Amino acid sequence: MRVMVLGGGVVGVTTAYQLLKDGHEVVLIERRSGVAEETSWGNAGMIAPGHSFVWSSPRAPMILLKSLVLKDQALRFRPSADPRLWSWSLKFLAQCTAERARTNTLRKHQLCLYSQRLLHETLADAEIDYDRNTRGILYFYRSEERLAAGVKHMQLLSDDGQETQVLDRDAVIRVEPSLAAARDKVAGGIYCPTDETGDCNKFTRALAAECIKRGAEFHLGMEILRIDADGDAILGVETSKGRLTADAYVLALGNHAPIFARQLGVSLPVYPIKGYSLTIPVGNHAAPPTVASVDEDNLVAISSFGDRVRVTATAEFAGYDTSHKPQDFDFMLGVVRDLYPDGADFERAEGWAGLRPMTPEGTPRFGRKKHRNLWFNSGHGHMGWTMSHAAARVTADLIGGKPTEIPLDGMMM
Ligand SMILES: Cc1cc2nc3c(=O)[nH]c(=O)nc-3n(C[C@H](O)[C@H](O)[C@H](O)COP(=O)(O)OP(=O)(O)OC[C@H]3O[C@@H](n4cnc5c(N)ncnc54)[C@H](O)[C@@H]3O)c2cc1C
């Protein structure tokens, strides 16, 4: 079958790869001059089943409410007139019960574990250099109370097969000696030794090259203008460089998927949640981060990819705006400097902002809706790099009419 993948982020490219493995003829369309140049560019790089907790939790409504009045550093909710924001927010609030949060988190965790397994299969199958770091991820807390609450919270994932170790302050420093200068700021942490990191952009570029080597047709610098439908069938895609057709189509347009879905009369509850990141060269510094970590009190994530450190933070409701100004990074830069004073050339930090394509449930959407040959692989939110491999595999299985390896309850269109 000739399958056209719409969008060349990590989700689109992993989908192209899995479809090729099944013997399909694959065409991918991406408007940028390269793959992974939007949300898949500057993320924290964490392959983190240990971070599967969904954002729609019983604590979320209060955090959102507080963010209206307080100048919170991690979450910025600014009401706008955009009706899509209100409709999405109502759906998000409906998911904020303890029971819904538990169910959604466990579904997401299973998807993440499966995805990590598939990533390892891909790495065994294709030579891909993406500055991988397999030293685990450390989720650390600044007070004993917060650590105790974190340990209780993590029990859900531990019971679901996540390997976890609770560490006191000394053990944290043993796992990450580069935190020694900030010893007094850390009470302890939860270490997930099987979580890992790597540069998502570099991975996606290398996987795209592998797909092309295996016969895929990649159209870069080609903008999709319209998806043409007649009744229950997609007939073709109108692009900036002409019309293209295929037997089946996969919507992997990240934050832009709901815009094209709406034009086709399909509601896809995906809303962009803005995040910021810094990429900082290590330079000649003696104590860069060696293990990826999340400062759970400040909600700042820190990874290192080869010779650079990546720091990410903030969830902001700002529509499709990806602009940023120096002040947006002050807080996260302060946190990383404080934790790793000899960790990187902080003066050379480069800022970036991207949009997480979030669903209210925190899990992606798969399958078809109105059209028999249009498949959704959309809404991977704050964990799309982690979930992309499984999301690609289940999409290929659904297109091929095969049973999926994991249940997709609550994730179908
Ligand atoms: C600050 C931050 C930190 C994050 N950290 C992590 C992390 O540590 N771990 C993790 O798992 N996830 C993380 N994420 C989430 C992850 O980056 C996303 O879930 C993932 O990149 C989404 O991939 P995507 O392919 O769906 O979207 P995108 O990468 O945005 O790809 C969509 C593509 O569609 C293209 N496109 C759009 N419209 C058109 C059109 N009209 N014509 C042609 N092409 C079009 C775009 O150019 C784009 O390349 C983070 C996100 C942010 C913002």
Side-chain angles (χ1 to χ4, degrees), residues 11 101 122 143-144 154 285 291 311 411:
V11 171
T122 301
S143 72
E144 293 294 344
M154 189 59 113
H285 290 269
V291 176
V311 190
M411 298 184 221

Side-chain angles (χ1 to χ4, degrees), residues 66-84:
K66 273 195 196 159
S67 77
L68 288 172
V69 279
L70 298 176
K71 206 169 174 297
D72 194 284
Q73 297 290 350
L75 186 98
R76 303 174 196 163
F77 184 72
R78 301 283 171 262
S80 77
D82 183 2
R84 286 169 300 177

